[in-house]
Amino acid sequence: MNIINRIRADFPALEQKMNGEQLIYLDSAATSQKPKSVLSLMEEMAGRTNANVHRAMYALSDKATELYETAREVVREFINAPARENIIFTSGTTASINLVADSFCRTFLKANDAIIIAADSHHSNIVPWQLAAQRAGAEIRVLPISTEPTQGRGFTAHLLIEELENLIDEKVKIVAVTHVSNITGLVNQVERVIEIAHRHNIPVVVDGAQGIVHQAVDVQKMGCDFYAFSAHKIYGATGAGVLYGKRELLEQMPPYMGGGDMVETVTYQKTTYAPLPLKFEAGTPNFIGAASLAPALEYAKWLKDGIVQSVDGESVSVCDVVEAEQKKITEYLTEALFNEVGDVQLYGFEKSTDASTGVKKELPLFTFNIKGANAGDLAQLLDKMGVAVRSGLMCAEPLLNSLGATGALRASFAPYNTLAEAKNFIACLRRAKQMVL
Ligand code: PLP
């Protein structure tokens, strides 16, 4: 069996038919499918190792606690955080960013201060900062993107990091950026953002919802102060995620929520808080979801470091095979969207794109419109052909609006997708286009 098929066999969801057609799942940027290792852990914990964590003096609770805390160690290692105290389990990226926006800003943001957010942000990295700014009477400043059209084929949509210096003054208390945009699929040079912000002693929050999937993340090398991601986009459960934070900042920040598990002692008048990381984990956590991060990240690690034997006994790197397939898909789509489908406006080209030769993309994430066609109509027609793609604003209304769009289609590919699926997708898109235009 070839390696991509072997990977596909790990994901039962891919075997389904939809509307009578073999499912082609191209919405992994919204949520990835789960491998069998994750599904079996979730089933085992729901059906057997089901006891509240951290609280009881009996073996079943110890077992559940062990799975929960083991996952914390797996996460720590995966992003190279210094210690378990840096890893807070949350319900996802959105909750992680809200935690920082609320707790950090309550301590460090005053009236007339400012927060910088990036123009390519997901709503989850915009709205929490607006709420914090409104509470404090602070202002939001926006790090812009380039909006030049390229050869009538769409928009570059790069984050203009060089503008950051002009936005910074003594009022700015925090900078929030996106690692990889869920619209453009471009990788932002967050290290540059961090270097500039840190020169002014301003901490940086990185929304890693997509970055954790596509990049090797080393939070110490990156130097970020906070990094947020969700389990469900990287093969894990929904309703679980991570906030990495630098210890000195987390220590200074007040609890975000109060309740069980985050306390040391409680009187009717006053509470002392549990040490990190539990100070930020009030109430019964989604312990099955958090524990799912262990097999999920092990799977992601295997995709990067795994070695398998080929049919003729040779050792083959899983990563080499996956990267080669993803590259083929990306190159094929970059060409086929324009030459086989046509009238396409694509949002987000690599900086290295040569204006005379066309466009270039590095990650297999394509957000686009077909001129004159409604994205929602196209998505519905594709669904009838078994192809699942995203349509609408994709929680990035300001970004799409600044690129002149009120909606778009997005096809996002994962290591379990094949070039054959990409070709099928293009054939279906051509048919859908003919039907609506
Ligand atoms: N940030 C980005 C860049 C995303 O793509 C997403 C989800 O699509 C989020 C934040 C929000 O993630 P979640 O809904 O898992 O909290």
Side-chain angles (χ1 to χ4, degrees):
M1 197 191 278
N2 89 20
I3 292 177
I4 304 288
N5 284 342
R6 203 162 138 178
I7 293 170
R8 288 179 69 78
D10 288 334
F11 292 83
L14 302 176
E15 290 162 13
Q16 305 171 73
K17 288 195 166 187
M18 280 292 143
N19 295 313
E21 303 289 338
Q22 171 58 47
L23 170 66
I24 299 182
Y25 184 73
L26 304 182
D27 198 19
S28 294
T31 198
S32 71
Q33 296 303 342
K34 297 176 190 57
K36 285 177 186 161
S37 55
V38 169
L39 295 169
S40 67
L41 176 106
M42 290 174 73
E43 196 186 341
E44 202 283 325
M45 284 188 82
R48 291 177 62 84
T49 311
N50 181 44
N52 213 330
V53 292
H54 295 146
R55 293 173 193 208
M57 298 295 280
Y58 58 87
L60 194 64
S61 170
D62 284 348
K63 271 176 90 175
T65 304
E66 169 141 13
L67 288 167
Y68 184 73
E69 290 301 329
T70 299
R72 200 189 303 275
E73 173 55 21
V74 172
V75 172
R76 187 205 65 71
E77 199 192 316
F78 193 78
I79 61 171
N80 193 30
R84 66 182 282 280
E85 285 77 8
N86 303 103
I87 307 296
I88 316 266
F89 283 133
T90 67
S91 65
T93 310
T94 305
S96 298
I97 296 173
N98 272 279
L99 190 165
V100 182
D102 186 279
S103 174
F104 177 92
C105 292
R106 257 190 289 147
T107 309
F108 295 105
L109 191 77
K110 306 181 304 300
N112 302 318
D113 280 345
I115 297 167
I116 296 178
I117 60 173
D120 63 352
S121 295
H122 186 281
H123 295 167
S124 293
N125 207 16
I126 298 176
V127 187
W129 302 111
Q130 290 174 349
L131 292 170
Q134 281 158 15
R135 272 193 300 269
E139 69 170 299
I140 300 284
R141 298 180 186 171
V142 182
L143 183 61
I145 48 156
S146 61
T147 52
E148 319 99 57
T150 303
Q151 282 198 342
R153 290 183 156 194
F155 296 87
T156 48
H158 302 138
L159 192 61
L160 297 174
I161 296 174
E162 58 276 19
E163 295 291 323
L164 183 59
E165 199 75 66
N166 301 328
L167 291 176
I168 289 180
D169 59 23
E170 71 294 341
K171 291 183 174 180
V172 176
K173 294 297 179 300
I174 194 154
V175 175
V177 283
T178 314
H179 195 181
V180 174
S181 159
N182 66 313
I183 298 291
T184 64
L186 298 178
V187 183
N188 289 321
Q189 296 307 307
V190 285
E191 294 80 2
R192 268 183 67 209
V193 173
I194 293 162
E195 188 262 312
I196 297 168
H198 281 184
R199 252 194 275 128
H200 299 268
N201 292 322
I202 303 167
V204 177
V205 183
V206 179
D207 172 350
Q210 304 293 339
I212 196 77
V213 185
H214 296 289
Q215 300 290 293
V217 174
D218 178 330
V219 287
Q220 296 190 70
K221 225 191 232 168
M222 185 186 282
C224 57
D225 299 274
F226 301 98
Y227 194 92
F229 65 94
S230 305
H232 70 100
K233 292 193 198 280
I234 185 155
Y235 316 121
T238 45
V242 171
L243 174 68
Y244 157 81
K246 277 192 181 156
R247 193 168 183 159
E248 58 274 24
L249 287 169
L250 292 174
E251 296 281 11
Q252 292 176 71
M253 286 159 48
Y256 173 45
M257 291 200 295
D261 235 20
M262 51 74 73
V263 300
E264 207 168 54
T265 60
V266 183
T267 69
Y268 288 116
Q269 308 301 335
K270 200 173 176 316
T271 294
T272 57
Y273 307 122
L276 291 171
L278 296 190
K279 173 177 144 186
F280 290 107
E281 293 181 9
T284 299
N286 175 2
F287 54 86
I288 300 179
S292 81
L293 273 158
L297 297 184
E298 296 294 353
Y299 198 87
K301 252 183 1 206
W302 177 77
L303 287 172
K304 287 196 183 113
D305 312 331
I307 302 284
V308 291
Q309 299 297 118
S310 73
V311 266
D312 26 80
E314 258 177 64
S315 297
V316 183
S317 142
V318 177
C319 176
D320 286 353
V321 174
V322 168
E323 277 187 1
E325 188 81 0
Q326 299 271 293
K327 189 161 183 275
K328 274 190 238 161
I329 292 172
T330 308
E331 285 173 1
Y332 166 73
L333 283 179
T334 319
E335 207 269 327
L337 276 173
F338 297 106
N339 297 338
E340 290 186 37
V341 180
D343 303 317
V344 163
Q345 290 282 288
L346 186 65
Y347 306 110
F349 302 151
E350 294 300 326
K351 271 219 167 96
S352 50
T353 296
D354 176 347
S356 65
T357 55
V359 298
K360 186 163 175 276
K361 280 194 81 76
E362 266 162 26
L363 296 183
L365 189 159
F366 291 79
T367 301
F368 61 94
N369 269 307
I370 295 180
K371 285 179 212 154
N374 178 284
D377 293 345
L378 289 169
Q380 278 182 340
L381 287 167
L382 287 166
D383 178 48
K384 297 276 174 286
M385 304 175 208
V387 182
V389 292
R390 197 78 172 172
S391 64
L393 288 161
M394 286 158 284
C395 295
E397 188 172 356
L399 171 61
L400 279 177
N401 286 351
S402 67
L403 299 171
T406 50
L409 268 189
R410 182 183 69 195
S412 55
F413 292 71
Y416 41 68
N417 290 122
T418 62
L419 180 61
E421 287 182 309
K423 289 186 174 170
N424 242 321
F425 161 59
I426 289 293
C428 293
L429 187 60
R430 280 178 64 152
R431 275 172 58 204
K433 181 186 169 194
Q434 278 160 8
M435 287 180 205
V436 297
L437 289 183

